[in-house]
Amino acid sequence: MSAHGHIGRRLLQLYAGLALYGASSALLVASGLGLEPWNVLHQGLAKLTGLSIGEISIAVGAAVLLLWIPLRQRPGLGTVSNVFAVGLALDGTLALLPDPRSLVVRGLFLLAGIVLNGAATGLYIAARFGAGPRDGLMTGLHRRTGRSIRLMRTAVEVTVVATGFVLGGTIGVGTVLYAVSIGPLAQLFLRLFALPSAAGGSTVVAARTPERAILRP
């Protein structure tokens, strides 16, 4: 594959992954059966402020990105794109989705949202344009404190879930199902969408994306 073809495919994977991530998150919101950790916080803040969940996602992503400065994290094109693309796709998809009234449809929304979220994660990480702002926060804390990524991730996500729940975010069976399935799903799709390494580097790529952390936007 030529250099231009390689970068073109990577860009396509990046933005397809980010858009799909937002759309899959919208399915989880519409199901009403529980959200992934950060969207519990986003939903709680949306209820508090009156802003949309997508707008809150963008605002929180930008705020978290500022925390990269003292942690000396290096953002990439994917990091900055993540802040805006996921929130816009989330709100756009929610505007198009019908209101699922039956439990069966809500369950289908939940399952589809989790599987598509795993696919989205594999797509955008495999593109190798840098970690999402929230995952960069976890890996930055890992490097600064010497604590494991698992511990940092757990600490951060427990904090955001608890805060979001207090503010009115939705925790349910979907939250638990997401927590136990997203790791294996993301690993599966990461292998599926993996790209061959290209010689040379790129100024828009943040080095050493920590795939072992199972990054999410």
Side-chain angles (χ1 to χ4, degrees):
M1 182 181 290
S2 69
H4 289 297
H6 187 77
I7 194 72
R9 179 177 169 182
R10 290 174 60 205
L11 285 168
L12 179 62
Q13 280 201 198
L14 170 66
Y15 290 107
L18 294 177
L20 184 59
Y21 195 100
S24 63
S25 293
L27 286 169
L28 295 177
V29 173
S31 78
L33 296 174
L35 300 174
E36 65 267 48
W38 280 94
N39 270 337
V40 175
L41 176 63
H42 298 157
Q43 188 181 57
L45 288 171
K47 290 181 178 180
L48 179 67
T49 63
L51 297 174
S52 73
I53 189 170
E55 290 169 335
I56 291 295
S57 174
I58 293 170
V60 170
V64 170
L65 191 55
L66 291 177
L67 296 177
W68 281 37
I69 298 173
L71 294 174
R72 299 180 181 177
Q73 289 287 93
R74 180 186 175 189
L77 174 64
T79 311
V80 179
S81 298
N82 181 295
V83 172
F84 300 98
V86 172
L88 291 173
L90 199 167
D91 275 352
T93 305
L94 280 175
L96 297 174
L97 283 175
D99 183 17
R101 298 189 180 276
S102 76
L103 184 59
V104 171
V105 175
R106 291 169 65 197
L108 290 174
F109 273 25
L110 172 65
L111 294 176
I114 292 173
V115 173
L116 292 176
N117 197 278
T121 302
L123 272 170
Y124 106 87
I125 292 177
R128 301 195 307 273
F129 279 107
R134 296 157 184 83
D135 290 296
L137 173 64
M138 298 175 203
T139 56
L141 289 170
H142 154 67
R143 289 172 185 153
R144 295 288 284 181
T145 65
R147 303 290 185 177
S148 69
I149 288 179
R150 183 186 298 273
L151 176 61
M152 290 297 97
R153 179 169 185 160
T154 300
V156 170
E157 293 195 346
V158 166
T159 300
V160 299
V161 166
T163 304
F165 178 70
V166 169
L167 294 175
T170 304
I171 295 178
V173 63
T175 309
V176 177
L177 185 59
Y178 183 92
V180 300
S181 61
I182 191 60
L185 283 170
Q187 289 284 18
L188 170 65
F189 286 109
L190 186 58
R191 289 193 295 269
L192 181 63
F193 297 125
L195 292 168
S197 297
S202 170
T203 57
V204 296
V205 178
R208 297 175 60 193
T209 299
E211 296 172 1
R212 63 195 175 90
I214 307 298
L215 305 183
R216 298 199 296 275

